[in-house]
Amino acid sequence: MTSERQAEALRALLGSDRPARAMGAHSPLSARIAEETGFDCIWSSGLEISAVQAIPDANLLTMDHYLRVAADMARAVNIPVLADCDSGFGDVNNVYHMVEQYESRGIAGVCIEDKQYPKLNSFADGKEQHLASAEEFAAKICAVKAAQRSASFVCVARTEALIVGAGLDEALRRAEIYERAGADALLIHSKARTPEEVLEFTVKYSGRLPVVVVPTSYPSLHYTDLAAHGISMVIYANHGLRSCIAAMRATMERIVDDGTTHFLEPELVSIGDVFAMQGVDDMLRRSRNFEAAGARYVEGCAPLSRPNAAVEIKAL
Amino acid sequence: MTSERQAEALRALLGSDRPARAMGAHSPLSARIAEETGFDCIWSSGLEISAVQAIPDANLLTMDHYLRVAADMARAVNIPVLADCDSGFGDVNNVYHMVEQYESRGIAGVCIEDKQYPKLNSFADGKEQHLASAEEFAAKICAVKAAQRSASFVCVARTEALIVGAGLDEALRRAEIYERAGADALLIHSKARTPEEVLEFTVKYSGRLPVVVVPTSYPSLHYTDLAAHGISMVIYANHGLRSCIAAMRATMERIVDDGTTHFLEPELVSIGDVFAMQGVDDMLRRSRNFEAAGARYVEGCAPLSRPNAAVEIKAL
Amino acid sequence: MTSERQAEALRALLGSDRPARAMGAHSPLSARIAEETGFDCIWSSGLEISAVQAIPDANLLTMDHYLRVAADMARAVNIPVLADCDSGFGDVNNVYHMVEQYESRGIAGVCIEDKQYPKLNSFADGKEQHLASAEEFAAKICAVKAAQRSASFVCVARTEALIVGAGLDEALRRAEIYERAGADALLIHSKARTPEEVLEFTVKYSGRLPVVVVPTSYPSLHYTDLAAHGISMVIYANHGLRSCIAAMRATMERIVDDGTTHFLEPELVSIGDVFAMQGVDDMLRRSRNFEAAGARYVEGCAPLSRPNAAVEIKAL
Amino acid sequence: MTSERQAEALRALLGSDRPARAMGAHSPLSARIAEETGFDCIWSSGLEISAVQAIPDANLLTMDHYLRVAADMARAVNIPVLADCDSGFGDVNNVYHMVEQYESRGIAGVCIEDKQYPKLNSFADGKEQHLASAEEFAAKICAVKAAQRSASFVCVARTEALIVGAGLDEALRRAEIYERAGADALLIHSKARTPEEVLEFTVKYSGRLPVVVVPTSYPSLHYTDLAAHGISMVIYANHGLRSCIAAMRATMERIVDDGTTHFLEPELVSIGDVFAMQGVDDMLRRSRNFEAAGARYVEGCAPLSRPNAAVEIKAL
């Protein structure tokens, strides 16, 4: 899918009555599983991508790295990819450059947050976190909108006002500013253990932007609550990876303890299942067709005129 | 430019009465100079790209590397990029995968040659070179045509029949097969010191494909000869890089010999000129506009409705 | 760890009486879990790495890609990384180039297999697989040994004789040739459902090379069988990833079905656990120390002489 | 060469009585030309590397990109590579991570400057530039020294005090602080048209650090002036690239104007010369030896014991 069609699909999800479900992913494989499970779009998760590298989620990995993973995922699935772009990897110039790159690689939209560069994961303790000024962040939103080529490309503005303890009023003030500046959706982030403050935000927010939530710290939020509060999208940002870590630990411990993988096999997907996710059979079928066609063209037994040949090959 | 429009532009060049000029390049900077000089398209040259890495042109660099350079060039210019893809980096499956990647990165078309993998540069002595079978190569052409999403994407089939000494008849036989298999243009390569054998090919070739030539070893071929022989495109494949090497050697020697760069300055482009090629002023102007807009949105003095805001920002 | 010390460690594992356990991994995170679980070394698995990209294990991903993943893993763990290098990504020149690259990136050794390029995963049906000639593969082993800078770098020669149905005698003949050519260890691969043919090989093999096995298709092989048959290393090549896929599917389905992640939480590792694997606290502690030291140097209250300063800082 | 030996070589250059000459480079090819010309070390130039990408020198390219180019150059030459690392790509955590990466990739040392992230090229007009606080920059120097594994790895601290107009006294104050914090050398940057302010700095500077200068804007500075002022290293930071641009423009214009490359040939290096810089003949000679050896091992006519075989192969 081109970036433009992906962007249109993401925009449609945000505009729909039914809350969209986004699933955090960190690889084409995890994105494909999310797609097969029925999720509506992929959240190219900064936490997951940095965790897979065993490196803190603190802008140590570069835009090049996050971009490559997001682009690889966009190639592998037919649902749109919304990219977690932290605070935009620097200033307005970095944001402009970033959007040129992300859009050209098939990404449907970017989410930028109003913290300073380098950002630190919102759930990390041990360091005071600071908001960027509203002016600076509004300028970044302008940079996104000016850089995008397709009208449909999506800019999700994420405010960390609740994360840094700036309060609900500041979150609402920023929501209004970001909407004016051109944002296409608003992500209200929270690290509270319950959804109250996020839900209170949705009640008081009078703007027109679709609202996105990320119930990592408040897992009790139920899907049925979303529509009731006018929430447009929910992002399950890191649960896939957290299940992977648990599974790999258990599996590897079992291998050492059992001395064999025999008893583990029923809990694993088969090699054939892995191959299917890689598209091995599709590849082999295609290659047999190409080789047969190649032989035919040489034998002279298929002196097709070019237009017909193109049609025929296209159907392989 | 999207890959599709780039592909259409390349197709138009190949179909035009005026022979198109392609310039070999190895970086966005060299591609941009070629564009500014008036060349019609960019040849993402395998020799240049490997030479810049100081690594033999023998498929030691991988598809990832060639793809990244070609994609970076496509981003930097408005003329189409035709990618030198050697023998397709493996078998039909590699070719299929390659086209998916190249097309999604904004490349207008690929050129594949009928040698085996790993290829060795056609001008290298010291190792006998072998053609792939016509069947195998025809299958690769089928793979290109099946993999491309846009109808305009271009497949240039390059025959090395003259390079390996297989003779004119074999070159003509392969031209016919490759045309049947769906190639969009034919590159007839030669390492002769004069253009005779290439021109003889053009006289005897009765097919309908546009013909492309690469006068590296036969520099006497003049542009005016091309139209006379129905040649559609000429690729000056490596002259930019060869001038760079000469210039860097001379400059560096002068620095050591002179003990200063004072006398060299008139022969160099200025730092300001370098900045201009990087777009520094454009970036700074844009960033000032974003910052001014950001400040306005916060001050509340520009409570624009979103649609108008988008229009205004777009004009920054 | 430098490549040299990693290589020495891998060599020691292969020379030990106790069979070494290698765990397949595809990312720094999975490698770190394997290290924490007690595995002796990491198998940078071609199948896992390609599966994560949702691309067939057929040399569609390039050496650059496999190298980057293997190098990232080597950075993240203190146990050696043995890299699955398929058939060496081409001919002897590719192998020579490959070893220069892998060794310089901290990899302890490479495993190359005697199939042709592009390779197809040994367990894939639907295409007949062919061995490279023994001459060609012996030449590749020579290329590895000539390219390595450290005497300890390890070349594991993997024969696919049993995989392609060439029989036990051919496997034994090749084992002898590969040993003569300089291989440091021998991997005997099999896709039989039981370990018989592999164990028969170990009984008949009279050479001096350490033997490595990969019990993917014959999971009943027990660790206690290895020493009894003089096997030096067992590679559990893909079980970590296969458990990930199962876990992600189950988790994602539960999210959709439950409408919340609340009930899933107990099965997932915590965010704090993810942070610990990323080293977030270590990073924050270090940065506080740097900032405190920076302030001291400016205040002039710590006019340390440089040598002492260096010592002090090193202890941060 | 390993990073450690490269670092020792760079340290020796900085400690020598004879001023060292560093040449700016942007690719393995340009680095190799500098080495062949007799330069002592390579300056992995941020300006050159960004200019080659036709992207402003403003931290739009990421650390990954600069690192890859620097590492590729380090692989290609036997003289040390000093990497221009701008302001360290972020905060102290970015610097720590950066040094881990650069040192593991064979780089001899890094140069960081006391501007804020994202940096803008020091010669760019149109935007006021600001220094980072001395505290912040001293903390970054501490981060470099704590991250390096080899005692020899070099940290060049570059002060932009003169660039931003903060004056000579501030430059001297910062020099003292940076020395205390553990810097191994001091780069005093200037955009004056004459060398006076830089030379005045060297006269007033009473510290013990080697001093490095970059006479881009003051080309009249002569090599013989350096020793007289106790300057340890001079960096010719961008002249190679500036000669390339001039050469490519002239060459490409000539191709269009002449209609042939015939008259240009004498000004270009030959294809054979390009091959020599790529090491094509070395590669082909090696591959013939590997293939001959491979054949011998199979024929059984060379049943060498392994240790001898290794010796023999090593000599190929």
Side-chain angles (χ1 to χ4, degrees):
Chain A
M1 226 182 359
T2 63
S3 177
E4 186 162 0
R5 271 203 256 153
Q6 278 230 27
E8 287 163 7
L10 177 56
R11 207 165 266 270
L13 289 173
L14 287 166
S16 156
D17 285 341
R18 184 180 67 77
R21 284 186 186 88
M23 186 73 219
H26 58 272
S27 68
L29 179 71
S30 59
R32 196 166 274 183
I33 293 172
E35 180 182 32
E36 290 178 357
T37 308
F39 282 88
D40 300 303
C41 79
I42 299 298
W43 170 250
S44 180
S45 161
L47 174 58
E48 288 205 5
I49 293 169
S50 57
V52 162
Q53 294 297 317
I55 284 180
D57 181 17
N59 285 140
L60 300 183
L61 294 181
T62 69
M63 189 202 75
D64 281 1
H65 190 104
Y66 291 113
L67 169 61
R68 186 179 62 226
V69 177
D72 285 344
M73 294 197 287
R75 161 188 62 68
V77 296
N78 290 308
I79 54 176
V81 174
L82 171 62
D84 175 4
C85 289
D86 295 341
S87 52
F89 306 110
D91 68 6
V92 286
N93 295 319
N94 293 277
V95 168
Y96 188 91
H97 178 67
M98 169 189 97
V99 170
E100 290 185 313
Q101 298 280 316
Y102 274 74
E103 189 179 15
S104 75
R105 297 293 291 276
I107 308 302
V110 292
C111 174
I112 54 174
E113 65 191 66
D114 56 2
K115 287 211 302 246
Q116 295 170 355
Y117 176 92
K119 69 81 64 99
L120 177 64
N121 186 282
S122 305
F123 300 111
D125 292 326
K127 186 176 179 183
E128 203 178 347
Q129 304 223 16
H130 300 282
L131 292 185
S133 74
E135 286 85 348
E136 187 185 338
F137 194 69
K140 286 184 177 178
I141 295 170
C142 294
V144 174
K145 303 318 289 179
Q148 71 186 60
R149 296 187 175 196
S150 139
S152 302
F153 190 79
V154 171
C155 174
V156 177
R158 162 172 158 176
T159 183
E160 299 273 297
L162 300 180
I163 295 286
V164 304
L168 195 58
D169 285 347
E170 179 65 10
L172 289 162
R173 185 181 81 96
R174 286 182 173 247
E176 185 184 344
I177 293 168
Y178 301 166
E179 179 175 349
R180 285 185 192 172
D184 300 303
L186 197 75
L187 191 159
I188 176 73
H189 204 22
S190 162
K191 57 180 181 181
R193 294 288 165 191
T194 59
E196 271 81 31
E197 69 177 12
V198 159
L199 296 181
E200 191 179 353
F201 175 90
T202 64
V203 169
K204 292 196 174 165
Y205 174 60
S206 60
R208 288 165 306 168
L209 293 184
V211 172
V212 181
V213 300
V214 187
T216 297
S217 64
Y218 48 96
S220 64
L221 183 71
H222 196 281
Y223 184 74
T224 54
D225 301 329
L226 301 174
H229 285 80
I231 294 169
S232 297
M233 178 179 283
V234 56
I235 299 175
Y236 302 100
N238 43 58
H239 305 78
L241 183 72
R242 286 158 65 200
S243 73
C244 270
I245 296 174
M248 286 194 285
R249 279 187 185 157
T251 296
M252 294 185 191
E253 281 167 14
R254 281 282 299 282
I255 292 175
V256 173
D257 292 347
D258 291 359
T260 162
T261 62
H262 185 67
F263 306 108
L264 261 176
E265 291 289 330
E267 300 170 26
L268 308 177
V269 300
S270 69
I271 292 285
D273 200 343
V274 176
F275 285 174
M277 300 221 54
Q278 297 177 280
V280 174
D281 283 348
D282 290 345
M283 179 191 75
L284 292 177
R285 185 180 39 73
R286 274 198 311 262
S287 66
R288 284 189 299 266
N289 286 342
F290 298 145
E291 282 156 11
R296 269 205 321 280
Y297 290 123
V298 172
E299 287 166 14
C301 59
L304 298 169
S305 65
R306 269 227 303 134
N308 293 341
V311 168
E312 185 194 54
I313 297 305
K314 206 60 194 174
L316 292 178
Chain B
M1 230 186 349
T2 63
S3 177
E4 184 162 1
R5 273 202 253 152
Q6 278 229 27
E8 287 164 7
L10 177 55
R11 207 164 266 270
L13 289 173
L14 288 166
S16 156
D17 286 341
R18 184 180 69 76
R21 284 184 186 90
M23 186 72 220
H26 58 273
S27 68
L29 179 71
S30 60
R32 197 166 274 184
I33 294 173
E35 180 182 34
E36 290 178 358
T37 308
F39 282 88
D40 300 303
C41 79
I42 299 299
W43 170 250
S44 181
S45 161
L47 174 58
E48 289 206 4
I49 293 169
S50 57
V52 161
Q53 294 297 317
I55 285 179
D57 181 18
N59 286 138
L60 300 183
L61 294 180
T62 68
M63 189 202 75
D64 281 1
H65 190 103
Y66 290 113
L67 169 62
R68 186 180 63 226
V69 177
D72 285 343
M73 293 197 287
R75 160 189 60 70
V77 296
N78 291 308
I79 54 177
V81 174
L82 172 62
D84 175 5
C85 289
D86 295 341
S87 52
F89 306 111
D91 68 7
V92 286
N93 295 319
N94 293 275
V95 169
Y96 189 90
H97 179 66
M98 170 191 96
V99 170
E100 289 184 314
Q101 298 280 316
Y102 273 74
E103 188 178 17
S104 76
R105 297 293 291 276
I107 307 302
V110 292
C111 175
I112 53 173
E113 65 191 65
D114 56 3
K115 286 211 304 248
Q116 294 170 353
Y117 176 92
K119 69 81 67 94
L120 177 64
N121 187 282
S122 305
F123 300 111
D125 292 326
K127 186 176 181 182
E128 203 178 347
Q129 304 221 17
H130 301 282
L131 292 185
S133 74
E135 285 85 348
E136 186 185 340
F137 194 69
K140 286 185 177 178
I141 295 170
C142 294
V144 174
K145 304 319 288 177
Q148 72 185 60
R149 297 186 173 196
S150 138
S152 302
F153 190 77
V154 171
C155 174
V156 177
R158 162 173 159 175
T159 183
E160 299 273 296
L162 300 180
I163 295 286
V164 304
L168 196 57
D169 285 348
E170 178 66 9
L172 289 163
R173 185 181 81 96
R174 286 183 173 245
E176 186 184 344
I177 293 167
Y178 301 167
E179 180 175 347
R180 283 186 194 170
D184 301 302
L186 197 74
L187 192 159
I188 176 72
H189 205 21
S190 163
K191 57 180 181 181
R193 294 287 165 192
T194 59
E196 270 81 32
E197 69 177 13
V198 159
L199 296 181
E200 192 180 350
F201 175 91
T202 65
V203 169
K204 294 195 176 166
Y205 174 60
S206 60
R208 288 165 303 168
L209 294 184
V211 172
V212 182
V213 299
V214 188
T216 297
S217 64
Y218 49 96
S220 63
L221 182 71
H222 196 279
Y223 184 73
T224 55
D225 300 329
L226 302 173
H229 286 80
I231 293 170
S232 297
M233 179 179 282
V234 55
I235 300 175
Y236 301 101
N238 43 58
H239 305 80
L241 183 72
R242 285 158 65 200
S243 73
C244 270
I245 296 174
M248 284 193 286
R249 279 187 185 155
T251 295
M252 294 185 191
E253 281 166 14
R254 281 283 299 282
I255 292 175
V256 173
D257 292 348
D258 290 359
T260 162
T261 62
H262 185 67
F263 306 108
L264 261 175
E265 291 289 330
E267 299 169 27
L268 308 176
V269 301
S270 69
I271 291 285
D273 202 342
V274 176
F275 285 173
M277 299 221 54
Q278 297 177 280
V280 174
D281 283 349
D282 289 347
M283 178 190 77
L284 292 177
R285 184 179 40 73
R286 274 198 311 264
S287 65
R288 283 189 300 266
N289 286 342
F290 297 145
E291 283 157 11
R296 270 205 320 280
Y297 290 123
V298 171
E299 286 166 15
C301 62
L304 297 169
S305 64
R306 270 227 303 135
N308 293 340
V311 167
E312 186 194 53
I313 298 304
K314 205 62 192 175
L316 290 180
Chain C
M1 237 193 338
T2 63
S3 177
E4 185 162 3
R5 272 202 253 153
Q6 278 229 27
E8 288 164 6
L10 177 55
R11 207 164 265 270
L13 290 172
L14 288 166
S16 157
D17 285 343
R18 184 180 69 76
R21 284 185 186 89
M23 187 72 219
H26 58 273
S27 69
L29 179 70
S30 60
R32 196 165 272 183
I33 294 173
E35 181 182 32
E36 290 178 357
T37 308
F39 282 88
D40 299 303
C41 80
I42 300 299
W43 170 251
S44 181
S45 160
L47 174 58
E48 288 206 4
I49 294 169
S50 57
V52 162
Q53 294 297 318
I55 284 180
D57 181 17
N59 285 138
L60 300 183
L61 294 180
T62 70
M63 188 202 76
D64 282 0
H65 191 103
Y66 291 114
L67 169 61
R68 186 178 63 225
V69 177
D72 285 343
M73 293 197 287
R75 162 189 62 67
V77 296
N78 290 308
I79 53 176
V81 173
L82 171 62
D84 175 4
C85 288
D86 295 341
S87 53
F89 306 111
D91 68 6
V92 286
N93 294 318
N94 293 276
V95 168
Y96 188 91
H97 178 67
M98 169 190 97
V99 170
E100 290 185 314
Q101 298 280 316
Y102 273 75
E103 188 179 16
S104 76
R105 298 294 291 276
I107 308 302
V110 291
C111 175
I112 53 173
E113 66 191 65
D114 56 4
K115 286 209 305 244
Q116 295 169 353
Y117 175 92
K119 69 80 68 90
L120 177 64
N121 187 283
S122 305
F123 300 112
D125 292 326
K127 186 178 179 181
E128 204 178 346
Q129 305 222 16
H130 300 282
L131 292 184
S133 74
E135 286 85 347
E136 187 185 338
F137 194 68
K140 286 185 177 179
I141 295 171
C142 294
V144 174
K145 303 318 289 179
Q148 72 185 61
R149 297 187 174 196
S150 140
S152 303
F153 190 79
V154 171
C155 174
V156 177
R158 162 172 159 176
T159 183
E160 299 273 297
L162 301 180
I163 295 286
V164 303
L168 195 57
D169 285 347
E170 177 65 9
L172 289 163
R173 186 181 80 96
R174 287 184 172 246
E176 186 184 344
I177 293 167
Y178 300 166
E179 179 174 349
R180 285 184 191 171
D184 300 303
L186 197 75
L187 192 159
I188 176 72
H189 204 21
S190 162
K191 57 180 181 181
R193 294 288 165 191
T194 59
E196 271 81 31
E197 69 176 14
V198 160
L199 295 180
E200 191 180 353
F201 175 91
T202 64
V203 169
K204 293 196 174 164
Y205 175 59
S206 61
R208 287 165 306 169
L209 293 184
V211 172
V212 182
V213 299
V214 188
T216 297
S217 64
Y218 48 97
S220 63
L221 183 70
H222 196 280
Y223 184 73
T224 54
D225 300 329
L226 302 172
H229 287 80
I231 293 170
S232 296
M233 178 179 281
V234 55
I235 300 175
Y236 301 102
N238 43 57
H239 305 79
L241 183 72
R242 287 158 63 199
S243 73
C244 270
I245 296 174
M248 285 193 286
R249 279 187 185 155
T251 295
M252 294 185 192
E253 282 167 14
R254 282 282 298 282
I255 292 175
V256 173
D257 291 348
D258 291 0
T260 162
T261 63
H262 185 68
F263 306 108
L264 261 176
E265 291 290 328
E267 300 169 27
L268 308 177
V269 300
S270 69
I271 291 286
D273 201 342
V274 176
F275 285 174
M277 299 222 54
Q278 297 177 281
V280 174
D281 282 349
D282 290 345
M283 179 191 76
L284 292 177
R285 184 181 39 73
R286 274 197 312 262
S287 66
R288 283 190 299 266
N289 286 342
F290 298 145
E291 282 156 12
R296 271 206 320 280
Y297 289 124
V298 172
E299 285 166 15
C301 60
L304 298 169
S305 65
R306 268 228 302 136
N308 293 340
V311 168
E312 187 194 54
I313 298 306
K314 205 59 193 176
L316 291 178
Chain D
M1 231 184 352
T2 63
S3 178
E4 185 162 2
R5 274 204 251 151
Q6 278 230 27
E8 287 164 7
L10 177 56
R11 207 165 266 270
L13 289 173
L14 288 166
S16 156
D17 285 342
R18 183 180 70 76
R21 284 185 186 90
M23 187 72 219
H26 58 273
S27 69
L29 179 71
S30 60
R32 198 166 273 184
I33 294 172
E35 180 182 33
E36 289 178 357
T37 308
F39 282 88
D40 299 304
C41 78
I42 300 299
W43 171 250
S44 180
S45 161
L47 174 58
E48 288 205 5
I49 294 168
S50 57
V52 161
Q53 293 298 317
I55 284 179
D57 181 18
N59 286 139
L60 300 182
L61 294 181
T62 68
M63 189 202 74
D64 281 1
H65 190 103
Y66 290 113
L67 169 62
R68 186 179 62 226
V69 177
D72 285 344
M73 295 198 285
R75 161 189 61 68
V77 296
N78 291 308
I79 53 177
V81 174
L82 172 61
D84 176 4
C85 288
D86 295 340
S87 52
F89 306 110
D91 68 7
V92 288
N93 295 319
N94 293 275
V95 168
Y96 188 91
H97 178 66
M98 169 191 96
V99 170
E100 289 185 314
Q101 298 280 317
Y102 273 74
E103 189 179 16
S104 75
R105 298 293 291 275
I107 307 302
V110 292
C111 175
I112 54 173
E113 66 191 65
D114 56 2
K115 286 209 305 243
Q116 295 169 353
Y117 176 92
K119 70 82 65 96
L120 177 64
N121 187 282
S122 305
F123 300 111
D125 292 326
K127 185 177 181 183
E128 203 178 346
Q129 304 222 15
H130 300 282
L131 293 184
S133 74
E135 286 84 348
E136 186 185 339
F137 194 68
K140 286 185 176 178
I141 295 170
C142 295
V144 174
K145 303 319 289 179
Q148 71 186 59
R149 296 186 176 197
S150 138
S152 303
F153 190 78
V154 171
C155 173
V156 178
R158 162 173 161 176
T159 181
E160 299 273 296
L162 300 180
I163 295 286
V164 304
L168 196 56
D169 286 348
E170 178 65 9
L172 290 162
R173 185 181 81 96
R174 285 182 174 248
E176 186 184 343
I177 292 167
Y178 301 165
E179 180 175 348
R180 284 183 193 172
D184 300 302
L186 197 74
L187 191 158
I188 175 74
H189 204 21
S190 164
K191 58 179 180 181
R193 294 288 166 190
T194 60
E196 270 82 32
E197 69 176 15
V198 159
L199 296 181
E200 192 180 353
F201 175 90
T202 65
V203 169
K204 293 195 175 165
Y205 174 59
S206 60
R208 289 165 304 169
L209 293 185
V211 172
V212 181
V213 299
V214 187
T216 297
S217 65
Y218 48 97
S220 63
L221 183 71
H222 197 280
Y223 184 72
T224 55
D225 300 329
L226 302 173
H229 285 81
I231 293 170
S232 297
M233 178 178 282
V234 55
I235 299 175
Y236 301 102
N238 44 58
H239 305 79
L241 183 73
R242 286 158 64 200
S243 73
C244 271
I245 296 174
M248 285 193 286
R249 279 187 185 156
T251 295
M252 294 186 191
E253 283 167 13
R254 281 282 299 281
I255 292 175
V256 173
D257 292 347
D258 290 0
T260 162
T261 62
H262 184 67
F263 306 108
L264 261 176
E265 292 288 330
E267 300 170 25
L268 308 177
V269 301
S270 69
I271 292 285
D273 201 342
V274 176
F275 285 174
M277 300 221 54
Q278 296 177 280
V280 174
D281 282 348
D282 290 346
M283 178 191 76
L284 292 177
R285 184 179 40 73
R286 274 198 311 262
S287 66
R288 285 189 298 266
N289 286 342
F290 298 144
E291 282 156 11
R296 270 207 318 283
Y297 291 123
V298 172
E299 286 165 16
C301 61
L304 296 169
S305 66
R306 266 229 301 136
N308 293 342
V311 167
E312 187 194 54
I313 297 305
K314 205 61 193 174
L316 292 179

